[in-house]
Each structure stands twice: as structure tokens, then as C-alpha cells.
Amino acid sequence: MKVTVVIPNYNGMKYLENCIEALMTQTGPELQIIVVDNGSSDSSVNFLKRRYPQVWIKEQSINTGFCHAVNVGIRNCHTKYVILLNNDTQVLPGFIQALVDVMEKPGNEKVFSASAQMLDMNNPELIDDAGDLVCALGWAFARGKGKPAEKYDKPKEVFAACAGAAIYRRNVFECIGFFDESHFAYLEDIDIAYRAKIQGYRNVYEPAAKVLHAGSASSGSRYNPFKTKLTTANNIYTFWKNMPIIQWLFNLPLLLLGYLIKALFFYRKGLWEPYVKGSRAGVSRCRSKLGKKHKVKFRWRYIGNYLRIQLILWKNLFLLFREK
């Protein structure tokens, strides 16, 4: 086997059948499928055991979060590539083959991850995510969200692959580390892509790999207190963690401006309190022993990569307004 598909699941009974069935009909490389269940209280696990005995189920007694769940799956696979797939997705024909092809294309040996073309399940002609970008305001944003898919039909290098539907080179995790479980969920894909870029790896977008995505199936909506608190904390932590102190201080004015604009945005959404709580949690995590332990150590041999990342952060400031 060349590919393992890891699906984290939490009360996803509504989506699991379509998700697994679509994988079963894929042509191309033979697949191993691992579902990591995060203590679901619905009938997810019983359904999988009864309907798909060939699927390997790793059961957690409680909801350990997206990051821990996918780490369990990655550590239990022994294939060259691992595909992370949300349970509220439905892959389209050729999905697996397209992702494997881009990883094995000559010249792509330094590609760590490839993001699929994620389409809105209710409006498949519209993009849900075409790879993720990060800018100097400290914002991460999805390319193309809500825009016609035909405008995003070309492969492109991106800052990060969206972990909801992406392929990863398994052995690179041993070099850069696995997903940081401090995140629990949200922005963990930005963090791991950032660490990969520091070491000179690339992340790309492959539009030939198409997948339908329901979106916000676990958290309930695009904007809610749970998600706002987590994303805010993770955002602060991710940039502090991956930037050397000099680079962080250099970017601080723009980062503070970005946080201020976000504060006003969430205030207008009626989510001021979770935003403040998330900000405090993010700062506390940066100052904690665990946060300091996870901070990426600066190494001079990667100075060129740090400079390239800085240029990307500035460049994406302009792309941000084009994407909105």
C-alpha cells in the first residue's frame, strides 16, 4: 500500500456513509482507511464496524481534538503518503490518484503537502478552500472561498494545505514533528505547514483532486463562541511559536493591527467575550512551559527560508484583499 486515509470523527454519523462509500469507489492506489473516533456518542462506531469491517477504527474514550486524532492515525500508518480527510466530505472520482500524482511528479520531492480543491457541498460550483494563505497581519485565509471553482483550476504553490482534504509525505513528520496538540483544532494545518517551510519544504494546491465539503460539521457554524476562542488563541500561538523573536518584533506592529481589526469584527458579530478569552489563552500558552518547549528553535542554516517566508507574508497582504 502507498496511501493511508485518516478520518477523524466526532458524532459524524450523518456524513460517514457518503464519506466512506466515495473512498471505496476510488480507482488507483490501494488504500488503507483509518477512522479515529473521538468519543462519539452517536452510532458512528457501531455503524462502521457493521458496515465496513475493512476500515481500521481507533477509538478514543473522550474528544481529544482534531490534532491528537490525526496524530494517532498518522503514527499508526506505515505508507509513504497519508491523506487527512474530514468526515463531512465526499471525494470525487480521481481524487486519490491526483494527489499521489502531484507528490510523485519529478521535481516535487520537496513538496510536503498538497491541498485538494474543496467544493461547497451545497453549491459545488463554488470553492470552499483552494489552499490556505497567511499574511503579515497574522491572518490565515482560504483561497477562493465562495468564488467560482473555474477560477481556481490551476495548480499553485500555497502557504499551507487545508488539513480537511490533503495529502502529506509521511516521513517529513519525523523531521518537523507531528501536529501540535496544543491547538486541539483550527490552524494546526497552518502551524505544521509553517514548520515545513522553515525547513525548506513546499505546500501546493492540486485542483484535479476534487472533494465536496459540508463545512463546520463539528463546531456547528462558521462563527461561534467555541471556534472563535480556539482560532484566536491558536492564531497568537502559531505566529509566536514559528517566528524568531527578532522577526516577531519586526512584524509586531502589523500583527497588532491585525488583532485589532479582528477584535472589531468579532465585537460586531457579538463574539467579543470569546475573542478576549481566546486572546488571553493564546498569550498564556506562549508563556507556558509547554508553549516554550514547542517554540521552533532558530537555526542559521534556515535563514534564507525565514526571509522567503517574510516576503510571502508581505505578498499575501495584497492577495488578501483580492480574495475578499
Side-chain angles (χ1 to χ4, degrees):
M1 287 188 184
K2 187 178 289 185
V3 183
T4 299
V5 179
V6 174
I7 304 171
N9 178 65
Y10 178 67
N11 291 336
M13 183 62 208
K14 177 180 178 181
Y15 301 100
L16 276 176
E17 183 173 8
N18 287 338
C19 181
I20 301 296
E21 285 293 331
L23 285 171
M24 293 296 186
T25 60
Q26 288 284 297
T27 58
E30 186 180 359
L31 300 177
Q32 177 187 39
I33 301 175
I34 300 176
V35 174
V36 183
D37 186 76
N38 261 340
S40 293
S41 57
D42 63 5
S43 55
S44 297
V45 173
N46 288 335
F47 168 75
L48 289 170
K49 289 179 177 178
R50 184 179 69 253
R51 184 70 175 272
Y52 304 105
Q54 66 272 53
V55 172
W56 189 7
I57 305 170
K58 300 290 291 182
E59 296 182 61
Q60 312 293 311
S61 59
I62 59 172
N63 186 356
T64 58
F66 177 89
C67 300
H68 180 264
V70 297
N71 281 344
V72 168
I74 294 168
R75 288 190 171 103
N76 279 277
C77 77
H78 305 284
T79 51
K80 186 175 182 179
Y81 305 116
V82 56
I83 291 175
L84 302 186
L85 192 65
N86 280 3
N87 61 359
D88 60 340
T89 59
Q90 185 175 342
V91 301
L92 299 184
F95 172 85
I96 300 293
Q97 189 65 65
L99 289 179
V100 172
D101 285 347
V102 71
M103 299 300 279
E104 300 198 331
K105 183 179 179 181
N108 278 1
E109 293 79 9
K110 291 292 286 185
V111 168
F112 167 54
S113 67
S115 190
Q117 184 183 81
M118 301 181 75
L119 303 168
D120 188 319
M121 190 170 282
N122 296 316
N123 298 286
E125 72 281 0
L126 300 180
I127 290 287
D128 182 64
D129 190 294
D132 293 337
L133 302 179
V134 176
C135 72
L137 289 171
W139 297 356
F141 55 99
R143 290 181 65 241
K145 192 168 185 69
K147 295 188 177 182
E150 60 189 22
K151 294 185 177 181
Y152 295 83
D153 62 351
K154 295 180 180 179
K156 186 176 180 63
E157 185 160 346
V158 292
F159 192 92
C162 174
I167 190 169
Y168 296 83
R169 206 175 293 275
R170 172 64 176 79
N171 65 346
V172 177
F173 288 104
E174 304 295 341
C175 301
I176 67 172
F178 290 77
F179 284 90
D180 186 342
E181 295 175 14
S182 300
H183 284 79
F184 189 82
Y186 305 120
L187 273 73
E188 71 290 320
D189 42 12
I190 300 296
D191 170 59
I192 205 159
Y194 205 131
R195 282 185 272 145
K197 291 184 77 66
I198 288 172
Q199 294 197 26
Y201 290 96
R202 298 163 48 222
N203 305 291
V204 300
Y205 161 68
E206 179 46 66
K210 301 180 187 298
V211 56
L212 303 177
H213 183 219
S216 301
S218 297
S219 61
S221 61
R222 186 174 180 184
Y223 300 113
N224 58 69
F226 172 79
K227 187 174 181 179
T228 299
K229 182 179 177 180
L230 268 181
T231 54
T232 302
N234 291 345
N235 183 277
I236 292 171
Y237 173 62
T238 295
F239 281 87
W240 175 87
K241 171 187 175 180
N242 289 289
M243 283 185 175
I245 187 63
I246 294 176
Q247 186 183 19
W248 184 81
L249 290 171
F250 178 75
N251 283 278
L252 189 57
L254 281 176
L255 291 174
L256 290 175
L257 175 61
Y259 298 146
L260 175 62
I261 294 171
K262 284 282 188 181
L264 294 173
F265 173 82
F266 284 113
Y267 178 79
R268 295 182 65 181
K269 287 281 184 182
L271 294 167
W272 169 253
E273 186 175 349
Y275 180 81
V276 171
K277 288 182 178 179
S279 298
R280 290 173 178 168
V283 173
S284 295
R285 196 188 308 164
C286 294
R287 298 173 63 184
S288 70
K289 289 183 179 179
L290 185 61
K292 292 176 181 177
K293 178 181 177 182
H294 287 171
K295 186 168 177 62
V296 177
K297 294 181 180 179
F298 174 78
R299 287 181 168 79
W300 280 105
R301 66 176 180 272
Y302 297 138
I303 186 64
N305 298 332
Y306 280 110
L307 292 174
R308 279 187 282 272
I309 290 170
Q310 185 61 52
L311 291 175
I312 290 170
L313 295 177
W314 284 335
K315 175 185 176 183
N316 288 348
L317 277 173
F318 301 98
L319 294 180
L320 169 67
F321 297 104
R322 194 177 74 180
E323 291 292 332
K324 296 300 181 183

